[in-house]
Amino acid sequence: MAEDVKPTRKNLMEIEDRIDLSERGHDTLEQKRDGLIMEFMDILDQAQDVREDVEQDYEDAQRTINMARAMEGDVAVRGAAAALQEHPEITVRSHNIMGVVVPQIEASRVSKSLDQRGYGVIGTSSRIDEAAEAYEDLLETIVLAAEVETAMKKLLDEIESTKRRVNALEFTVLPDLYESQDYIEQKLEEQEREEIFRMKKVKDKKEEEEERAEAAAEAETAD
């Protein structure tokens, strides 16, 4: 409450400093919030594209695996899958977007040539090759989707946090400081008016005393 602040010039200067700092902090946070929103919108567009790619790649993978099962049988498909020797590896790094650390996910050894898949080329048909390639594409798209979705969530969390800080400054901290500033300025003005009035009273009283003294001196001289 403004009334809890002692109305002194020292406190007024401190509050003015806090107002200046809070206003600059508010402007900086607004700029950060707006920048984060722009980054988020860019990633959101990318995320929508990636989601569509995941859906399309999943449909392609399901179609090719179903075709391979129909043509080669489940035993042959499972055998080809079990023959895989080198499994994909996931590497997670990080990079900074306006102070927000987001993951950078890289997958290696996902796409493979025919001889790297482990199953015999002669004993399988092109249907299994197509299914393997479709699932490799799907896995790469899923890794990209994981990176984009995680970055989007982290940016959204930071946007919400920054918005709360902006609102706290705009609707709570700064209004309270302005109220305290107005209260102190009003009280100091009242004190200044009272002091001026007191000094005028003192001056008037002194002048009255001087006039009485002069009158008394003149009376003594006349006698």
Side-chain angles (χ1 to χ4, degrees):
M1 296 294 291
E3 290 77 6
D4 297 332
V5 181
K6 189 174 182 180
T8 63
R9 296 199 175 278
K10 179 182 178 181
N11 285 342
L12 178 61
M13 292 176 62
E14 290 178 353
I15 288 176
E16 288 174 342
D17 289 341
R18 289 175 61 190
I19 288 174
D20 181 63
L21 181 62
S22 297
E23 287 177 339
R24 285 190 282 113
H26 177 268
D27 292 342
T28 300
L29 287 172
E30 276 194 325
Q31 292 174 6
K32 178 181 179 181
R33 178 200 61 195
D34 295 342
L36 286 170
I37 290 174
M38 292 179 64
E39 293 287 348
F40 177 80
M41 296 306 296
D42 289 341
I43 293 181
L44 180 61
D45 292 337
Q46 186 180 358
Q48 292 173 340
D49 293 338
V50 172
R51 287 170 185 171
E52 293 175 359
D53 291 342
V54 169
E55 293 177 1
Q56 184 61 55
D57 288 352
Y58 178 76
E59 291 177 2
D60 292 343
Q62 287 294 97
R63 177 178 52 78
T64 56
I65 198 70
N66 289 336
M67 184 66 71
R69 283 171 176 167
M71 299 294 293
E72 300 293 324
D74 281 346
V75 174
V77 172
R78 291 179 184 276
L84 183 64
Q85 297 297 320
E86 288 190 354
H87 297 281
E89 292 183 353
I90 302 297
T91 303
V92 180
R93 297 185 177 87
S94 62
H95 65 285
N96 192 301
I97 300 178
M98 296 193 65
V100 182
V101 178
V102 299
Q104 189 171 12
I105 306 174
E106 297 179 358
S108 60
R109 295 191 294 186
V110 176
S111 297
K112 297 177 174 61
S113 60
L114 291 177
D115 59 325
Q116 290 175 328
R117 289 175 182 154
Y119 55 79
V121 178
I122 297 176
T124 59
S125 71
S126 61
R127 298 296 183 183
I128 290 180
D129 297 335
E130 292 173 359
E133 184 177 353
Y135 271 93
E136 289 167 358
D137 292 341
L138 174 61
L139 180 56
E140 288 183 337
T141 307
I142 288 174
V143 170
L144 177 59
E147 176 182 324
V148 172
E149 293 283 347
T150 304
M152 189 170 62
K153 183 180 184 303
K154 285 184 172 291
L155 283 175
L156 184 59
D157 290 342
E158 187 65 20
I159 289 171
E160 291 299 323
S161 174
T162 305
K163 284 174 62 177
R164 287 194 295 270
R165 294 168 65 188
V166 169
N167 290 339
L169 285 169
E170 184 173 347
F171 298 111
T172 302
V173 176
L174 282 169
D176 288 347
L177 289 173
Y178 293 144
E179 182 181 358
S180 297
Q181 181 187 36
D182 291 341
Y183 171 75
I184 293 178
E185 288 177 344
Q186 180 181 353
K187 287 298 182 181
L188 289 176
E189 288 175 0
E190 290 177 0
Q191 292 173 8
E192 186 176 355
R193 287 196 296 269
E194 290 174 356
E195 180 65 15
I196 292 174
F197 180 76
R198 187 186 68 81
M199 292 297 294
K200 186 175 184 304
K201 293 282 289 184
V202 170
K203 181 181 179 181
D204 291 344
K205 184 177 180 182
K206 184 178 180 181
E207 289 176 351
E208 290 177 0
E209 291 175 350
E210 289 176 351
E211 289 176 357
R212 284 197 296 270
E214 290 176 359
E218 291 176 356
E220 289 179 359
T221 303
D223 292 341

